């Protein structure tokens, strides 16, 4: 049984399809697991809820609880109905992903366990072994293609191919910005090479928001792909203050790039910064869009009001995560300009 000793570190050990191990240190309490972008452990697999489970430290050790997930959280094969104290050797199953529970008495041991990824990661960066994927963006209501969002993938032996897992490994190695730039640059250079004419949106990390360094990176990128129509997606966690947003807006204008505010409605949306530095596109979070046709009239009315507010200041609105014709129709009625999701196309190579 774990104790509440601050020198005791909990870890989860997962196994990838290729047989390699994936080790996740639990570095703070609480530690959330889910498919939401703010999750400490991001799992994009089918069957994982947005807010799925939470691991937290209590007076008697580390505990786990389910957060009302659709498919449940299992410990040693039994579905959780209440919080449970974890023991060394337990295993947690979420969707079909199994994690072994490991106790480490010294945090330095954690570094040794995850270090085997370092060599694979270095080789992957050196070989630029990433696969650019593109998910369609369409206009509503006609469904006409207007652009793509770039999404990086890899297929490299010794590393998980899930981007959420890969970014967690990169953060442990201090290489997350290099990975983000590699995904971005590879995808856009490929798009320029095959002659994509539509708008392309690319992602950034909160860690990239040092505008001096980001400006250098994006300037080099723009010089390498001068003819592409580009937009930069900014997550709310990347926003530090109004002044930073204004500087970023000016920098993107100089580079002829759109500003896209991502995951609007997830967590604490920054309305002040939004109105003070108006983006070109406002991307509504998937949590607001999923099953929207089944929501109450009040719930849909709130989303419709937010869409109208955006339109009133000249912002185009995009519904993210539209996975069915019913969701697409509801978003069209509400007044969204654009949409993306599995209904219109999954991420794929062009």
């Amino acid at each position: 049984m774990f104790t509440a000793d601050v020198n005791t570190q909990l870890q989860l050990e997962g196994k990838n399809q290729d047989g390699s191990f994936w080790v996740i240190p639990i570095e703070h309490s609480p530690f959330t697991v889910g498919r939401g972008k703010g999750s400490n452990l991001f799992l994009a697999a089918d069957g994982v809820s947005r807010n799925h489970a939470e691991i937290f430290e209590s007076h008697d050790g580390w505990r786990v609880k389910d957060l009302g997930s659709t498919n449940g959280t299992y410990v040693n094969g039994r579905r959780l109905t209440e919080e449970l104290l974890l023991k060394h050797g337990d295993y947690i199953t979420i969707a079909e992903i199994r994690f072994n529970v490991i106790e480490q008495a010294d945090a330095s041991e954690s570094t040794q366990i995850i270090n085997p990824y370092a060599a694979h990661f270095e080789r992957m960066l050196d070989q630029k072994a990433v696969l650019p994927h593109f998910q369609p963006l369409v206009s509503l209501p006609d469904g006409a293609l207007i652009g793509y969002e770039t999404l990086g993938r890899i297929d490299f032996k010794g590393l998980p191919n899930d981007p959420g897992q890969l970014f967690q490994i990169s953060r442990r190695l201090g290489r997350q910005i290099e990975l983000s730039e590699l995904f971005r640059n590879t995808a856009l250079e490929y798009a320029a090479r095959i002659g994509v004419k539509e708008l392309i949106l690319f992602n950034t990390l909160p860690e990239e928001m040092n505008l001096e360094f980001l400006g250098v990176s994006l300037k080099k990128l723009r010089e390498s792909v001068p003819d592409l129509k580009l937009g930069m997606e900014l997550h709310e966690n990347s926003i530090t203050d109004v002044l930073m947003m204004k500087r970023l807006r000016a920098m993107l204008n100089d580079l002829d790039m759109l500003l896209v505010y991502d995951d609007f409605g997830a967590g604490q949306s920054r309305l002040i910064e939004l109105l003070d530095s108006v983006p070109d596109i406002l991307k509504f979070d998937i949590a607001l869009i999923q099953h929207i046709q089944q929501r109450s009239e009040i719930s849909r009315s709130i989303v419709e009001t937010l869409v109208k507010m955006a339109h009133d200041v000249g912002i185009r609105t995009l519904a993210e995560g539209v996975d069915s014709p019913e969701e697409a129709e509801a978003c069209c009625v509400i007044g969204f300009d654009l949409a993306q999701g599995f209904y219109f196309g999954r991420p794929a190579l062009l």
Side-chain angles (χ1 to χ4, degrees):
M1 184 181 299
F2 294 118
T3 66
D5 184 348
V6 295
N7 293 321
T8 298
Q9 186 179 46
L10 184 67
Q11 297 182 347
L12 303 179
E13 181 185 76
K15 191 173 184 179
N16 298 306
Q17 293 180 349
D18 62 5
S20 61
F21 286 98
W22 170 36
V23 178
I24 309 98
I26 310 301
E27 298 178 308
H28 55 80
S29 174
F31 184 90
T32 57
V33 182
R35 64 183 303 135
K37 291 186 179 179
S39 299
N40 301 119
L41 174 56
F42 173 78
L43 299 176
D46 292 339
V48 179
S49 295
R50 178 178 175 80
N51 298 303
H52 198 107
E54 180 180 280
I55 297 171
F56 61 97
E57 195 171 18
S58 64
H59 69 281
D60 55 354
W62 290 92
R63 291 177 171 267
V64 61
K65 65 179 180 181
D66 186 78
L67 296 178
S69 67
T70 300
N71 297 302
T73 302
Y74 294 77
V75 176
N76 302 328
R78 299 183 66 178
R79 185 166 183 164
L80 289 180
T81 57
E82 58 185 2
E83 65 184 48
L84 182 70
L85 186 67
L86 292 170
K87 305 184 300 296
H88 183 79
D90 285 344
Y91 64 92
I92 301 171
T93 307
I94 294 176
E96 296 183 357
I97 308 170
R98 171 171 164 161
F99 298 99
N100 297 319
V101 177
I102 303 171
E103 179 185 12
Q104 289 292 334
D106 188 337
S108 65
E109 296 178 26
S110 162
T111 304
Q112 296 303 314
I113 290 177
I114 205 168
N115 267 349
Y117 284 122
H120 299 302
F121 195 87
E122 290 288 345
R123 286 197 293 272
M124 186 273 294
L125 289 180
D126 289 342
Q127 297 175 24
K128 299 183 179 181
V130 300
L131 304 173
H133 280 50
F134 299 83
Q135 186 171 27
L137 309 173
V138 304
S139 64
L140 291 175
D142 60 4
L145 178 70
I146 63 99
Y148 303 92
E149 179 184 0
T150 65
L151 298 164
R153 299 291 187 267
I154 72 164
D155 183 13
F156 195 86
K157 186 175 181 180
L159 291 173
N161 56 19
D162 178 84
Q165 298 176 17
L166 190 65
F167 269 109
Q168 289 189 348
I169 292 169
S170 72
R171 285 187 171 91
R172 292 292 296 174
L173 299 172
R175 310 297 293 276
Q176 66 270 30
I177 293 179
E178 290 175 75
L179 179 62
S180 178
E181 289 182 330
L182 179 60
F183 275 148
R184 181 164 65 234
N185 295 346
T186 301
L188 297 181
E189 289 168 4
Y190 172 82
R193 191 162 59 249
I194 65 173
V196 174
K197 302 300 182 184
E198 295 82 8
L199 172 67
I200 301 180
L201 306 184
F202 61 86
N203 294 282
T204 52
L205 298 176
E207 294 94 330
E208 294 184 87
M209 287 303 111
N210 180 317
L211 297 191
E212 180 180 352
F213 293 105
L214 180 63
V216 172
S217 176
L218 294 185
K219 183 179 179 181
K220 290 181 179 178
L221 175 63
R222 172 48 87 192
E223 290 172 349
S224 69
V225 291
D227 299 324
L228 288 184
K229 300 176 184 177
L230 298 178
M232 191 192 88
E233 294 195 19
L234 179 72
H235 189 271
E236 67 176 2
N237 292 337
S238 302
I239 298 172
T240 57
D241 55 51
V242 172
L243 179 60
M244 184 277 285
M245 286 290 289
K246 289 182 176 179
R247 291 175 56 209
L248 176 62
R249 169 85 264 189
M251 182 180 78
L252 293 177
N253 286 343
D254 290 342
L255 294 170
D256 191 24
M257 296 180 182
L258 302 182
L259 174 60
V260 181
Y261 195 89
D262 192 17
D263 292 328
F264 180 71
Q268 300 177 351
S269 296
R270 310 293 186 85
L271 287 172
I272 294 176
E273 289 86 346
L274 172 67
L275 296 174
D276 219 49
S277 183
V278 176
D280 299 286
I281 298 174
L282 183 60
K283 204 172 186 181
F284 280 62
D285 186 69
I286 188 173
L288 294 176
I289 304 303
Q290 284 185 326
H291 310 301
I292 193 168
Q293 76 280 6
Q294 300 174 8
R295 304 269 180 81
S296 68
E297 184 177 343
I298 292 176
S299 177
R300 292 197 303 273
S301 177
I302 291 172
V303 176
E304 186 172 356
T305 298
L306 292 171
V307 169
K308 184 179 184 303
M309 288 173 59
H311 289 165
D312 287 345
V313 292
I315 303 172
R316 284 187 290 172
T317 54
L318 190 155
E320 182 180 24
V322 177
D323 293 343
S324 70
E326 294 79 14
E327 290 173 349
E329 182 179 359
C331 288
C332 184
V333 171
I334 285 172
F336 280 97
D337 302 295
L338 311 170
Q340 73 178 111
F342 290 168
Y343 176 63
F344 298 108
R346 291 175 178 267
L349 286 166
L350 294 180

